[in-house]
Amino acid sequence: MTNHKKTEKQEKVQHTVCMDCSSYSTYCYRCDDFVVNDTKLGLVQKVREHLQNLENSAFTSDRHRKRKLLENSSMNSKLLKVNGSTTALCATGLRNLGNTCFMNAILQSLSNIQQFCCYFKELPAVELRNGKTAGRRTYHTRSQGDNNVSLVEEFRKTLCALWQGSQTAFSPESLFYVVWKIMPNFRGYQQQDAHEFMRYLLDHLHLELQGGFNGVSRSVILQENSSLTASSKCCINGASTVVTAIFGGILQNEVNCLICGTESRKFDPFLDLSLDIPSQFRNKRTKNQENGPMCTLRDCLRSFTDLEELDETELYMCHKCKKKQKSTKKFWIQKLPKVLCLHLKRFHWTAYLRNKVDTYVEFPLRGLDMKCYLLEPENSGPESCLYDLAAVVVHHGSGVGSGHYTAYAAHEGRWFHFNDSTVTLTDEETVVKAKAYILFYVERQAKSGSDKL
């Protein structure tokens, strides 16, 4: 299209309006081309730019409106109706980093054991570096060695993030990286056993706390904590820490030779008890199933503490007979912990596979009475043997190397279901129907009228 000035001798022209862009032009027969009217083209261009600006403004406004709606929706999803009033849901989920539900379920359970959680949240943060990086926090990178990572610090930061209510889900990638560094068994993204992870986690926390952190001995901090008295401490692998003070108990193992009657006793510290599900209940899969009696937690505890005759593969070396003999074994609980962790052995090895026992085990929410399993029950107080449920870890699926882990936990009188990044309010009826894998019971402090198990 030609754009030229008009000459004194006007040529015959034909006026035309473009149907596509609405621009005004004339056709010049001398040039054999359309001539653009500069003035009107500028006006059309300005109108076009104005319309584009209006469209962009409307799009931006709509985008801000949608973002605000999403923020309000996220905020509303964290509001609960309790007794007719609206309260904020401050629980935070944990993002799944790739089959890390086993870790998330354990972390959420431990975060709802108040005495244990509060101890770590009150610890001082990792000390700042000196020199050029003074005033900056220490961050772990893959180029750093094992000595530059702290499980206690990352565990502390994770617990602090879980009940702040400032975010819907927290990513525990820094903690998971430290787990990779110090626990080689859990490297990779395959499914792991939640109970095995819990034991590794507690053991490594215990060892790091024993060694001190940031130049301050954790045993000193533990001694300064008035709620953890000397009588509550149970030493496992050296000095006591908050791990053993809260989860630590003591078993008495009695073995009797069936030939000469010699009795052998020894005391074994524990952080949790692994209970078999009795074989007669293994076909009972649901709570409402009617074929046979219901398996209860008491049945599992009784099976653990009952007198047992050892088979041929477990012959006892009798010091009096000077050879291996048939014998009996019995466990007594010599000291109960503040938090009783009960692991139901749902996975067992067959010839080639590790199968799951999917039996429903009935468990109490309140008033688990452990007095009848004590070595010296007469020396215990009336309330010191009663436990109330704090958290439950559940495995969904058919095998230990597959499936999914979630957790139920009580917080300030309400029950929550933790499914990775999703946290929902639930009720006691839903909790008691769960097929528990790990149960966390907290020693009752105040007298209550709840029924005993």
Side-chain angles (χ1 to χ4, degrees), residues 121-350:
K121 292 199 294 187
E122 291 171 1
L123 288 177
V126 65
E127 73 176 5
L128 303 181
R129 294 187 181 189
N130 298 320
K132 295 181 180 179
T133 56
R136 303 178 189 173
R137 289 193 176 276
T138 302
Y139 292 95
H140 307 312
T141 64
R142 296 185 181 274
S143 61
Q144 293 175 331
D146 292 349
N147 294 332
N148 292 320
V149 298
S150 169
L151 181 64
V152 171
E153 170 64 7
E154 295 303 336
F155 185 68
R156 182 195 68 81
K157 290 193 290 188
T158 302
L159 294 182
C160 289
L162 286 181
W163 286 98
Q164 289 181 346
S166 58
Q167 52 188 336
T168 305
F170 173 76
S171 179
E173 54 190 9
S174 295
L175 175 62
F176 193 42
Y177 167 65
V178 175
V179 169
W180 277 29
K181 295 281 283 187
I182 65 178
M183 305 180 197
N185 290 354
F186 296 95
R187 290 176 184 171
Y189 296 97
Q190 65 271 24
Q191 182 65 281
Q192 302 282 357
D193 183 9
H195 174 252
E196 185 180 1
F197 171 76
M198 182 197 73
R199 285 306 312 267
Y200 270 88
L201 177 66
L202 293 179
D203 287 344
H204 280 82
L205 287 173
H206 173 65
L207 291 173
E208 188 173 321
L209 289 169
Q210 280 183 322
F213 187 61
N214 285 346
V216 180
S217 174
R218 293 313 190 195
S219 59
V220 173
I221 298 175
L222 182 63
Q223 291 170 5
E224 294 174 354
N225 192 330
S226 59
S227 63
L228 302 177
T229 62
S231 61
S232 70
K233 298 175 184 177
C234 172
C235 297
I236 299 176
N237 298 327
S240 177
T241 67
V242 67
V243 175
T244 53
I246 291 180
F247 290 95
I250 300 176
L251 283 176
Q252 177 176 292
N253 184 3
E254 292 182 359
V255 180
N256 289 278
C257 177
L258 293 177
I259 305 303
C260 67
T262 300
E263 184 179 90
S264 173
R265 297 180 182 177
K266 69 174 183 176
F267 294 96
D268 298 317
F270 68 88
L271 295 178
D272 68 297
L273 298 178
S274 292
L275 310 178
D276 281 307
I277 298 175
S279 57
Q280 66 267 30
F281 298 110
R282 293 191 178 180
N283 292 325
K284 183 82 171 178
R285 292 180 175 270
T286 64
K287 183 176 182 179
N288 299 323
Q289 194 172 338
E290 297 181 357
N291 59 336
M294 176 76 65
C295 181
T296 66
L297 188 58
R298 170 170 283 187
D299 294 319
C300 299
L301 285 165
R302 188 184 298 116
S303 175
F304 179 79
T305 56
D306 277 352
L307 188 68
E308 173 191 4
E309 183 174 343
L310 301 178
D311 58 30
E312 296 291 336
T313 62
E314 299 177 297
L315 293 178
Y316 163 67
M317 183 64 189
C318 179
H319 297 287
K320 186 175 182 179
C321 298
K322 304 297 183 182
K323 63 179 181 178
K324 292 185 177 181
Q325 301 283 23
K326 287 187 176 182
S327 58
T328 59
K329 179 181 71 173
K330 180 174 176 60
F331 285 117
W332 294 95
I333 299 177
Q334 197 269 340
K335 174 190 170 297
L336 283 166
K338 288 185 172 294
V339 174
L340 179 63
C341 180
L342 301 176
H343 162 233
L344 299 179
K345 296 162 72 173
R346 292 195 173 274
F347 302 106
H348 66 96
W349 287 100
T350 59

Side-chain angles (χ1 to χ4, degrees), residues 261 405 408:
Y405 287 99
Y408 295 94

Side-chain angles (χ1 to χ4, degrees), residues 351-370:
Y352 303 101
L353 299 173
R354 195 178 186 188
N355 294 329
K356 181 181 178 182
V357 179
D358 206 29
T359 302
Y360 171 77
V361 178
E362 189 177 43
F363 55 89
L365 291 178
R366 303 175 188 86
L368 172 63
D369 191 356
M370 296 294 294

